[in-house]
Amino acid sequence: PAPARVSAAVMGLMAAAATGGTGWYFYLYETEYLTDTTVLMERNFFGMLRVQESGEGKGRVRNLVHGVIMHGKQSYDPAYQRKPTTYYTEDSGVGRLFAAFADQPVRAGVIGLGAGTLAVYGRKGDVLRFYEINPQVRKIAEEYFAFLKECPAEVEVMMGDARLSMESHREPQNYDILVLDAFSGDAIPVHLLTKESVQLYLKHLKPDGAIAVHISNLHLELDGVVAKIAENLGLRAIQISGIPDNPNVEFTSDWVILTNNTTFLNDAKVRAVSHHIHSTKRKEAQLWTDQYSNLLAILRSGRVLPPETYVEGICEDPMGTPVVGAKVEVTRIARDAAENAKPEPVVTLTTDKDGRFDLELLDAKHDAWEYSVRVSSSQHVSGTFTLDEQIRMDRFLRAILLPR
């Protein structure tokens, strides 16, 4: 009887959650999409696609929507028609990657076409190849959006499963940039994000090339998965989050860049906006292979660490050069401690070869403490930094040490 009562309670909770989730879906559908003007609505095996327009005057935009996920947006404002929008802005991870290769002709492969937004980065002399499995997406990108038709680069759209298409190439494609943009929906193609798939991508990538993985997702946390694959294959992984300047056409985005290109990794502009994947996520993540993957383990409801419980840090000199091997000492003192109370040590560690370090505030009641971080190096003047509310909210501390 007891197990039956428990099961009934669990089923009740699941039913309530499903009802609430369905209610939210229809609320979002009605308020965000049915109010727009629908230009096209088509369904096939891959789901429902809609081309819709909203706004007025210079604020008018055309959107590509799959379910409730935005897959592209183009502005009617002449100032924005040839600018990257949504997740692909110049401040995004992929935008900064294209900027890093701006002084040379670029060969780029893109898995996932969407509205074709990334074509705005193509210049005369560049080669862009999109891999797309859904024929409706290609039709919409070519007929309802201008990104592809106005691109001065050589553009090709290769239809079919991206992994099978890449396996069909008889010769290495020598891409400078390979973009993986197939993981923003709620049903991701896992076979495109395994160790073996990335090994295939590397065969078609130049030695100093880079893979940009788009991990913006409402339901799944993919950063640890991508970082684990990179670690296993000897690649560096940095994460770059883009913040929108114009919310009408730009979205917040999360990208992970996989590369061993030290010129890109050490670029001051890149270092200023990037961070590595937290060590706990790298350790806890399981390596996805063609034989193993686990979506339940990366659901957002099951974070490895709450965002408030860790801080990522980097130690540099004023010129942006990493301070390697610096000593990092963390202490804390209770917020209500007496004036003569002494701080207690929490952890001591050293910066890695990139000048980076991870701080984990594992006490569940860490808000009751004030944390201080002292960073010292034999060649630099020591500095002490307080983990104030802003730093803990950003989850990032930049420690600048002056040379002696």
Side-chain angles (χ1 to χ4, degrees):
R5 286 197 298 271
V6 172
S7 297
V10 171
M11 291 298 290
L13 287 172
M14 293 177 64
T19 302
T22 303
W24 168 249
Y25 177 89
F26 281 112
Y27 169 79
L28 186 66
Y29 183 80
E30 291 177 1
T31 58
E32 296 294 329
Y33 300 114
L34 292 187
T35 56
D36 294 345
T37 300
T38 299
V39 177
L40 176 74
M41 181 182 293
E42 292 186 349
R43 176 186 293 277
N44 67 2
F45 171 81
F46 299 101
M48 176 72 77
L49 286 171
R50 296 188 305 280
V51 177
Q52 297 180 311
E53 294 184 352
S54 60
E56 297 179 353
K58 289 187 177 181
R60 190 161 184 78
V61 294
R62 174 168 284 189
N63 307 317
L64 172 59
V65 183
H66 184 195
V68 294
I69 304 298
M70 187 76 68
H71 283 270
K73 181 187 289 278
Q74 188 161 28
S75 173
Y76 277 77
D77 183 351
Y80 269 93
Q81 282 188 334
R82 278 291 299 162
K83 286 189 176 182
T85 57
T86 63
Y87 314 100
Y88 316 103
T89 63
E90 293 173 353
D91 289 335
S92 69
V94 71
R96 293 180 184 278
L97 186 58
F98 272 98
F101 286 84
D103 61 346
Q104 65 182 70
V106 170
R107 286 185 57 84
V110 182
I111 295 179
L113 173 61
T117 312
L118 284 173
V120 301
Y121 289 108
R123 304 154 304 171
K124 187 175 181 179
D126 293 345
V127 176
L128 300 182
R129 177 182 288 131
F130 291 89
Y131 297 88
E132 176 56 50
I133 195 171
N134 188 343
Q136 277 186 336
V137 170
R138 178 177 184 174
K139 172 187 173 183
I140 290 172
E142 291 178 341
E143 298 181 8
Y144 291 86
F145 292 85
F147 295 121
L148 294 181
K149 66 183 68 172
E150 294 182 0
C151 179
E154 178 184 336
V155 177
E156 175 188 354
V157 180
M158 190 170 185
M159 297 304 301
D161 178 87
R163 184 165 171 182
L164 294 178
S165 295
M166 295 194 75
E167 288 176 348
S168 71
H169 293 313
R170 295 184 178 181
E171 300 293 335
Q173 297 304 296
N174 293 317
Y175 291 129
D176 299 288
I177 296 172
L178 183 59
V179 181
L180 311 187
D181 186 26
F183 311 113
S184 56
D186 52 7
I188 67 170
V190 171
H191 72 293
L192 298 181
L193 197 60
T194 64
K195 172 186 174 182
E196 292 83 357
S197 66
V198 177
Q199 286 176 318
L200 171 64
Y201 306 149
L202 292 175
K203 291 180 181 178
H204 295 291
L205 194 71
K206 291 180 181 177
D208 61 348
I211 300 174
V213 188
H214 187 197
I215 63 167
S216 304
N217 192 293
L218 292 173
H219 312 291
L220 304 173
E221 294 201 65
L222 293 163
D223 48 357
V225 173
V226 178
K228 193 72 171 184
I229 294 173
E231 183 179 68
N232 185 267
L233 296 179
L235 296 168
R236 301 274 296 282
I238 60 171
Q239 184 169 341
I240 299 176
S241 298
I243 306 299
D245 292 324
N246 182 352
N248 186 47
V249 292
E250 300 178 3
F251 297 162
T252 298
S253 65
D254 291 301
W255 292 82
V256 176
I257 311 298
L258 309 183
T259 186
N260 285 328
N261 185 324
T262 54
T263 301
F264 174 77
L265 293 168
N266 294 329
D267 182 89
K269 293 181 180 179
V270 173
R271 292 178 64 86
V273 297
S274 68
H275 60 88
H276 60 174
I277 312 300
H278 193 265
S279 61
T280 300
K281 285 194 172 185
R282 295 197 304 271
K283 293 174 184 176
E284 295 293 332
Q286 296 294 313
L287 179 65
W288 281 16
T289 67
D290 287 348
Q291 288 73 44
Y292 173 87
S293 61
N294 189 342
L295 291 173
L296 289 176
I298 61 171
L299 284 174
R300 286 199 176 276
S301 58
R303 293 183 64 93
V304 175
L305 281 178
E308 298 84 3
T309 63
Y310 69 85
V311 174
E312 299 167 1
I314 184 169
C315 183
E316 300 175 328
D317 67 16
M319 300 300 293
T321 303
V323 179
V324 179
K327 184 178 181 181
V328 181
E329 301 170 277
V330 183
T331 59
R332 69 181 184 181
I333 189 170
R335 293 186 184 278
D336 58 357
E339 288 187 13
N340 59 350
K342 293 184 178 181
E344 62 179 74
V346 177
V347 66
T348 300
L349 43 85
T350 57
T351 58
D352 64 15
K353 59 181 173 45
D354 299 312
R356 298 182 182 269
F357 54 93
D358 291 331
L359 305 179
E360 297 182 11
L361 315 179
L362 298 180
D363 191 326
K365 298 181 179 179
H366 61 269
D367 281 339
W369 301 89
E370 290 185 358
Y371 288 84
S372 292
V373 181
R374 185 176 186 272
V375 185
S376 57
S377 165
S378 60
Q379 299 179 352
H380 299 80
V381 178
S382 300
T384 301
F385 308 86
T386 300
L387 296 187
D388 58 27
E389 183 178 352
Q390 187 62 50
I391 288 176
R392 289 160 71 167
M393 186 184 303
D394 294 340
R395 292 177 284 163
F396 188 72
L397 167 65
R398 185 177 300 278
I400 305 297
L401 297 188
L402 299 175
R404 292 186 182 277

